[in-house]
Amino acid sequence: MRQPCLQKQFVINFKEITMNIQRKIAMALSAVLLLIAGTAQAALIPFQTFVGNYGVSTDGWGSTSQSGTIRALVPEGATVVAAYLYSSTFTNPTLAGVGGTLAGSTVDYNTNLGTIPAPACCDLTAVRADVTSIIKPIVDGGIGGVYSFDITETSTSQDGSALVVVYSHPDLGISTVGILDGYARVDGDTTSLNFADPLDPSAPGFFAHMMLGIGFSCCNQASTVEVNGTLITNAAGNNDDSADGGASNGNLITVGSFDDPFSPFMPSYNEDTERYNLVDYLSNGDTSINIRTTNASRDDNIFLAVFHVSGEAGVNAPPPGISIPEPGTLALFALALFGLRRRLQS
């Protein structure tokens, strides 16, 4: 007498299993489409993604004196896993003479992130250096807090710098740090953070932060940022990280920094800090955070975007743990499962 009940339970469980698989396939297909779209419409592309017990610090600096201080906030007991220094340049696409020092050590800017093509102005180009070997010995085992590093530049075409420090700490929850860099595509860039599980922005401890690095910016030149279709600012830009107190070639840079307040919704030019709390622009059940940046005036360079979000995410990629079969195999598998589900429901 129990056999029919067991058979019914098996059918119900099998339905749940197939529905879960179908959901994973749908998410995988969505991730593929987002990845294709992001690749086709982006000059700001993923550089590094860290998933685990990670935190990140960002800071900016610029000065016509070509020397100053840039900082990082790292808690006591943390271990530096990566550190990158960026320099924003103008009218020097070959990067002639570009260089400098950090904490007394020579910086090798060996990665050219590309020049914004015409019709954008000014041959805006940014460069990147891996400075982990400089930052790590200073921070690891330190007292924690704010660390200051002396910085210099060697070319008058350099417009300032951005420092990104990624660290691990056993007391941190699971999160994703995503670093994208490159240059500002003239018709805009798109980025997507993709999650295996639906988001609950109201959950205790949930966070989603974005920091932008923008070069050759001042004087009401600005970029726009949209999050999941909502315009959150049309005033991203300015030279907020100038150490000189004015706007001149050599200090035209702004970076969303660890000590900046979050930008309010639709801020004024002076209120926009290039550091954003994305939680208010997310809905319960979202599985992606989609960001679009544009610079209509084509004279600012968004060369850096750093994300720090709760949970495990893929940056312009499928979520961790979701592998993508070849398109033909994926389509056949999906059709077979949907057909099986219909037979079970009949």
Side-chain angles (χ1 to χ4, degrees):
M1 297 295 295
R2 296 182 181 177
Q3 188 173 3
C5 294
L6 290 174
Q7 184 179 8
K8 183 179 179 181
Q9 184 65 42
F10 172 78
V11 171
I12 292 173
N13 289 340
F14 197 72
K15 285 182 179 179
E16 292 177 354
I17 291 170
T18 57
M19 290 176 68
N20 286 334
I21 294 174
Q22 289 166 16
R23 182 173 67 86
K24 296 293 186 181
I25 290 174
M27 292 181 64
L29 287 169
S30 297
V32 169
L33 293 174
L34 287 168
L35 179 59
I36 293 172
T39 302
Q41 301 179 21
L44 194 65
I45 60 176
F47 164 55
Q48 295 283 10
T49 301
F50 303 85
V51 179
N53 306 107
Y54 293 111
V56 63
S57 171
T58 55
D59 194 34
W61 162 86
S63 175
T64 56
S65 70
Q66 297 187 282
S67 65
T69 301
I70 199 165
R71 302 178 301 160
L73 175 63
V74 183
E76 183 180 6
T79 300
V80 172
V81 296
Y84 305 102
L85 188 67
Y86 294 81
S87 188
S88 172
T89 76
F90 60 96
T91 64
N92 186 9
T94 65
L95 304 176
V98 170
T101 62
L102 181 67
S105 297
T106 299
V107 174
D108 180 15
Y109 289 109
N110 59 2
T111 303
N112 183 333
L113 299 180
T115 301
I116 306 180
C121 86
C122 315
D123 288 324
L124 302 180
T125 310
V127 289
R128 181 184 68 233
D130 188 327
V131 293
T132 308
S133 62
I134 298 174
I135 299 297
K136 187 176 178 64
I138 298 173
V139 173
D140 286 6
I143 61 173
V146 177
Y147 294 83
S148 296
F149 308 99
D150 291 337
I151 186 171
T152 66
E153 297 171 341
T154 56
S155 170
T156 55
S157 70
Q158 290 173 254
D159 233 352
S161 299
L163 177 64
V164 179
V165 178
V166 181
Y167 55 87
S168 64
H169 195 291
D171 293 341
L172 296 176
I174 300 299
S175 67
T176 299
V177 174
I179 305 172
L180 298 93
D181 55 27
Y183 60 88
R185 184 180 171 97
V186 293
D187 54 353
D189 288 278
T190 57
T191 301
S192 65
L193 308 180
N194 305 306
F195 299 81
D197 298 311
L199 301 178
D200 180 2
S202 63
F206 180 88
F207 62 88
H209 302 160
M210 175 176 70
M211 289 69 68
L212 296 179
I214 307 176
F216 203 66
S217 186
C218 78
C219 317
N220 292 310
Q221 296 170 192
S223 298
T224 66
V225 180
E226 296 178 32
V227 180
N228 284 0
T230 298
L231 180 67
I232 69 169
T233 180
N234 56 12
N238 212 345
N239 63 325
D240 300 334
D241 287 297
S242 167
D244 303 331
S248 302
N249 287 342
N251 65 21
L252 306 183
I253 192 169
T254 183
V255 180
S257 302
F258 67 85
D259 58 346
D260 286 334
F262 289 116
S263 297
F265 177 69
M266 295 303 293
S268 68
Y269 195 55
N270 289 330
E271 290 175 326
D272 198 313
T273 65
E274 292 67 52
R275 181 173 183 246
Y276 309 95
N277 184 353
L278 307 183
V279 173
D280 289 343
Y281 316 116
L282 307 180
S283 299
N284 192 50
D286 284 346
T287 55
S288 294
I289 305 175
N290 301 306
I291 299 96
R292 179 167 177 79
T293 58
T294 59
N295 177 241
S297 56
R298 298 172 178 176
D299 50 10
D300 281 8
N301 188 12
I302 303 176
F303 64 88
L304 175 67
V306 179
F307 296 91
H308 191 201
V309 298
S310 296
E312 301 180 357
V315 181
N316 279 4
I322 293 184
S323 59
I324 304 297
E326 293 185 3
T329 303
L330 187 61
L332 289 172
F333 189 44
L335 287 172
L337 282 174
F338 278 109
L340 179 59
R341 182 184 178 191
R342 290 188 65 184
R343 288 197 298 272
L344 288 171
Q345 291 174 333
S346 62

